[in-house]
């Protein structure tokens, strides 16, 4: 989904539908991800954030084991829910 972050969610209707189906617990959509992030029940709220990923240095990788360093860039998709407040 990295390519979705090249624009915004308003220009990616498929992403809006993806988020809706995650909230509904759609088995077809959950089958698209490597592991179900919501194994007990669909989430009550959902959001998406954008991160910038960079490789760690060799020294950092040796000391921490981490391959990536990430920096939060901001909100991509606001917090939403199917439940009325």
């Amino acid at each position: 989904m990295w390519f979705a972050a090249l624009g915004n969610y308003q220009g990616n209707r498929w992403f809006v539908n993806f988020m809706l189906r995650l909230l509904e617990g759609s088995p077809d959509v959950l089958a698209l991800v490597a592991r179900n992030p919501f194994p007990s029940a669909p989430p009550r709220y959902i959001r998406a954030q954008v991160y910038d990923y960079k490789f760690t240095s060799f020294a950092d990788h040796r000391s921490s084991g981490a391959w990536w360093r990430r920096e939060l860039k901001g909100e991509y998709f606001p917090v939403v829910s199917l439940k009325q407040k």
Side-chain angles (χ1 to χ4, degrees):
M1 288 186 230
W2 63 267
F3 52 88
L6 297 174
N8 57 39
Y9 75 87
Q10 292 94 335
N12 289 297
R13 291 295 303 161
W14 68 267
F15 189 82
V16 176
N17 287 320
F18 176 74
M19 298 295 271
L20 172 63
R21 300 297 178 250
L22 288 175
L23 284 167
E24 293 173 341
S26 167
D28 291 337
V29 169
L30 289 168
L32 297 172
V33 295
R35 123 188 120 68
N36 182 353
F38 317 108
S40 302
R44 185 171 180 153
Y45 299 95
I46 198 164
R47 69 175 179 191
Q49 297 178 311
V50 176
Y51 285 88
D52 184 26
Y53 281 81
K54 292 189 169 56
F55 280 111
T56 58
S57 67
F58 288 119
D60 288 341
H61 175 66
R62 273 194 294 274
S63 66
S64 70
W67 286 104
W68 300 99
R69 180 174 32 95
R70 72 180 191 170
E71 176 186 348
L72 178 62
K73 290 301 190 178
E75 179 181 83
Y76 180 75
F77 189 83
V79 176
V80 294
S81 176
L82 295 178
K83 308 285 185 216
Q84 297 282 338
K85 290 185 181 183

